[in-house]
Amino acid sequence: MTYMSTGTSLGDWWFSSGSRIGGMSVRLHFLGTGASIPTKDRNLSSVVVRYDSELVMFDCGEGTQKQMSIAGLSLAKKMKIFISHMHGDHLLGLSGLMQSMALLGREKQLDVYGPRGIMKFVDCVNDAVQFNPTFPLNVHEIRAGRVCDTRLYEIHSAWVDHVVPCLAYSFVEKPKPGKFNVKAARKLHVPEGPLWKALQIGKTVRVRGRMIRPRLVVGPPKPGCKIVYATDTRPCDETVRLASKADILIHDSSFDSSLEEKASLDGHSTAAQAARIAKKAKARKLILTHISARYRNPAVLLRESRKIFPKTAVASDLMTIDL
Ligand SMILES: [Zn+2]
Ligand SMILES: [Zn+2]
């Protein structure tokens, strides 16, 4: 796992535990890490998982398309967008993003997922500005559960504890086939070519009248990565369940401990509360996000969280993480 940031360096611990996992490249882009109001340093909520040639976006705060352009993320790519809840700082970037996609002649389908209200929002805005997409646009109103299932990954959602209905999401990469043992295949007289391929994707093949099962030549499947995005929310058990053993938990950390009462009233978490959730969930890494504009320097949030969960980082805009 490698880490790049426009902000402060994290030190060696981040690099030293990058033991996973091989396979398809996964890069996390933090496009907006601020709470409620954009600041000079922090745009509004948006995180992108770049997976192979696809973009999976969580939230699309105002200004997200500009952040994408700075981050070098193309508007033409295969893409899905998952909105957590119907607060402006998490979805007002959607219409501008779609308009730019159309101006650039996007043809690939775009899928937008979110809680109840997302369809009305997209319809109203598109109707008011007389926007006709150049691409197939599918808007899905979803609840908790497995909301997306592809050949390579699944997205799960869970209701978390905000002041309006709010979904947290997990990106779960499917296990990848184990290592192919060439020596074993040759010893069993399996000729190179289509039969090797068949064994690699789990099919039994027949060679010289003998059935060869995949487990004779393919190692155990490798686990995929799991990334969980949970904001805006108070600390809650649903997040613990969704984030169980996640490689990375990205969690609401709007305030420090002195503002715990305010955090609770507003439906948010403190850094220490986020840390307790990461610990309970046995997550590997915690990234604090949705940082209130009052923290020009978020050192207090980092300190409070690391006391409870040492493998914490504070997100900064345009920070990336390779898994
Ligand atoms: Zn928010
Ligand atoms: Zn909110």
Side-chain angles (χ1 to χ4, degrees), residues 124-156:
C124 287
V125 173
N126 287 355
D127 188 45
V129 298
Q130 296 178 21
F131 169 64
N132 287 309
T134 53
F135 48 89
L137 171 63
N138 299 322
V139 185
H140 312 258
E141 287 193 344
I142 54 170
R143 298 172 187 207
R146 187 173 63 182
V147 293
C148 176
D149 184 8
T150 75
R151 189 172 59 82
L152 297 172
Y153 65 86
E154 295 177 357
I155 308 286
H156 297 250

Side-chain angles (χ1 to χ4, degrees), residues 296-313:
R296 283 296 302 278
N297 177 349
V300 60
L301 304 178
L302 192 60
R303 205 168 47 241
E304 290 188 355
S305 180
R306 281 189 177 172
K307 265 188 211 161
I308 298 158
F309 191 82
K311 292 196 168 179
T312 304

